[in-house]
Amino acid sequence: MTELLELMGAPGSPYTRKMVGLLRYRRIPFQVSWTAGRPPRPGYPVPKVPLLPTFYFPDGAGSLTAVTDSTPIIRRLERDHAGRSVIPTDPVLSFLNDLIEDYADEWLTKAMFHFRWAHKADHDNAGPLLIYWSQNGLDADAAMQMAEKISKRQFDRLYVVGSNQVTAQTIESSYERLVGILDALLQKRGFVLGARPSSADFALYGQLTQLAIVEPTSAAITVARSPRVRAWVDLMEDLSGLDPQPDDWFGADAAREALGPLLAEIGRVYAPFLLANAEAVMAGETQFKTEIDGRAWTQPSFPYQAKCLKWLREGYDGLSGNERGSVDALIAGTGCEAIFT
Ligand SMILES: N[C@@H](CCC(=O)N[C@@H](CS)C(=O)NCC(=O)O)C(=O)O
């Protein structure tokens, strides 16, 4: 019998949805427990940093190890399971895939958290869902009491992702632009990097399972701006029937023609964030101020996102001279070049 890869998460966790979509597409047999932070079975290991999703990988000695962080887990799955890869074979496209995946995981999630908690309609909608996603049989009064508590706590934590009265416009405009950009990009060949999905598609999809569907405000923006993007989210959920071909990835010319607007959006909002955050982390500052898209941006600094910058730079440095030249040409004038200079 095939061993099932086991993971734990929640339907409201964008990273859990990113991984479940990816496992379905890759046809990796799995079982997911929607226990939202509680171990799926007694005696299961707890990760050092508890995050959703948590994967339980066999350690080769009959036990399980608890592993988190979707991006390296995707690369591990590439090594462990052949075929239906989500990493482009061309190093230049693979580098762009890493950059877009990182933007979706680390920037777009700000929009997800902001839209979920900043406006009353969304906040009132999400509170009970968060409870029922993990304890579906709970009595309604108890659920409502817990929902109020959790909603208040999340509202008070909006500052953590940089959401406040001043940055609200920056975050919301950036999301609106992204929907328009994806609309044009997906029309070309169906996915971000061609006619087959990459890990960047699954990262965007994970955030959009919430933004485009769960939060009333951003869901209305999404479908009004692009019914195509809204429909794409449903298609991404289960791509087990897609038959990807090696030449389904964009070639150099198609990539140049297609990806400019998305890279310009990343350069416009994510590049200044990554740089200011890393500078603050290096200086040992717990808070930083910068300007993003012409408005003030303030938030606590995060060592994890300084590591994201380091990994992106290592990816860039690992390219050959020719490949780096191609990347430089693709990102010239987008604002992304600031990340690598
Ligand atoms: N970089 C991680 C991020 C995972 C993450 O932040 N998950 C959120 C839920 S979507 C989480 O577990 N937050 C803490 C919590 O809910 O207790 C990944 O890609 O998996």
Side-chain angles (χ1 to χ4, degrees):
M1 202 187 96
T2 318
E3 285 256 327
L4 296 176
L5 176 59
E6 199 165 356
L7 71 151
M8 172 273 284
S13 149
Y15 306 95
T16 305
R17 301 290 291 275
K18 172 187 180 188
M19 294 309 291
V20 170
L22 180 136
L23 290 167
R24 284 195 182 121
Y25 167 63
R26 294 215 56 216
R27 299 186 185 154
I28 296 173
F30 70 97
Q31 63 182 74
V32 58
S33 293
W34 301 116
T35 46
R38 296 185 310 278
R41 270 155 264 288
Y44 267 45
V46 175
K48 267 187 252 147
V49 183
L51 287 176
L52 309 181
T54 297
F55 278 72
Y56 303 94
F57 283 102
D59 67 356
S63 298
L64 294 171
T65 31
V67 181
T68 60
D69 206 356
S70 59
T71 302
I73 292 172
I74 290 172
R75 277 70 187 166
R76 175 179 180 157
L77 295 173
E78 291 281 318
R79 294 191 292 273
D80 294 351
H81 301 263
R84 304 178 70 81
S85 172
V86 293
I87 306 295
T89 32
D90 171 53
V92 171
L93 208 59
S94 173
F95 171 81
L96 296 178
N97 177 53
D98 291 351
L99 176 62
I100 299 166
E101 180 175 4
D102 198 51
Y103 154 82
D105 284 349
E106 306 301 329
W107 175 271
L108 189 54
T109 202
K110 294 180 183 303
M112 190 256 125
F113 199 77
H114 165 82
F115 276 113
R116 176 157 290 176
W117 302 112
H119 303 293
K120 187 171 177 345
D122 304 279
H123 180 280
D124 290 351
N125 172 67
L129 293 184
L130 238 68
I131 304 302
Y132 287 125
W133 272 325
S134 66
Q135 300 176 67
N136 202 252
L138 211 63
D139 157 73
D141 289 343
M144 285 317 285
Q145 271 185 23
M146 287 169 74
E148 262 173 46
K149 240 195 224 166
I150 200 162
S151 303
K152 160 126 191 23
R153 197 183 75 194
Q154 300 294 69
F155 180 79
D156 291 342
R157 288 174 59 78
L158 274 166
Y159 78 94
V160 173
V161 301
S163 160
N164 57 49
Q165 305 270 12
V166 180
T167 59
Q169 188 63 52
T170 308
I171 296 171
E172 294 189 9
S173 304
S174 167
Y175 180 65
E176 286 175 31
R177 286 192 303 270
L178 175 69
V179 175
I181 290 165
L182 285 179
D183 184 76
L185 180 51
L186 299 176
Q187 189 179 358
K188 292 184 191 296
R189 295 203 62 200
F191 299 98
V192 171
L193 298 177
R196 58 185 290 173
S198 63
S199 57
D201 288 276
F202 286 101
L204 291 162
Y205 158 72
Q207 302 298 330
L208 288 170
T209 57
Q210 312 303 309
L211 281 160
I213 297 175
V214 176
E215 277 53 63
T217 303
S218 51
I221 292 172
T222 312
V223 77
R225 287 217 147 203
S226 173
R228 184 198 320 278
V229 169
R230 172 61 189 80
W232 180 82
V233 179
D234 296 328
L235 299 174
M236 286 293 295
E237 182 178 350
D238 193 336
L239 292 175
S240 56
L242 193 81
D243 193 12
Q245 301 301 314
D247 62 358
D248 280 343
W249 298 115
F250 281 149
D253 290 342
R256 195 169 318 110
E257 207 265 309
L259 294 172
L262 180 54
L263 294 172
E265 181 58 28
I266 296 173
R268 180 167 174 172
V269 291
Y270 189 46
F273 162 78
L274 267 182
L275 293 168
N277 177 69
E279 202 177 306
V281 169
M282 291 267 285
E285 286 156 12
T286 55
Q287 187 83 13
F288 70 93
K289 275 197 185 109
T290 188
E291 197 179 286
I292 298 184
D293 201 20
R295 284 181 209 91
W297 185 277
T298 319
Q299 74 157 87
S301 54
F302 279 101
Y304 181 80
Q305 285 144 356
K307 275 196 213 157
C308 291
L309 175 63
K310 182 174 155 276
W311 292 325
L312 287 174
R313 284 180 171 163
E314 285 170 0
Y316 182 81
D317 292 340
L319 295 168
S320 72
N322 271 351
E323 292 157 0
R324 216 171 304 140
S326 303
V327 165
D328 288 345
L330 276 157
I331 64 176
T334 64
C336 290
E337 62 273 38
I339 301 176
F340 307 103
T341 46

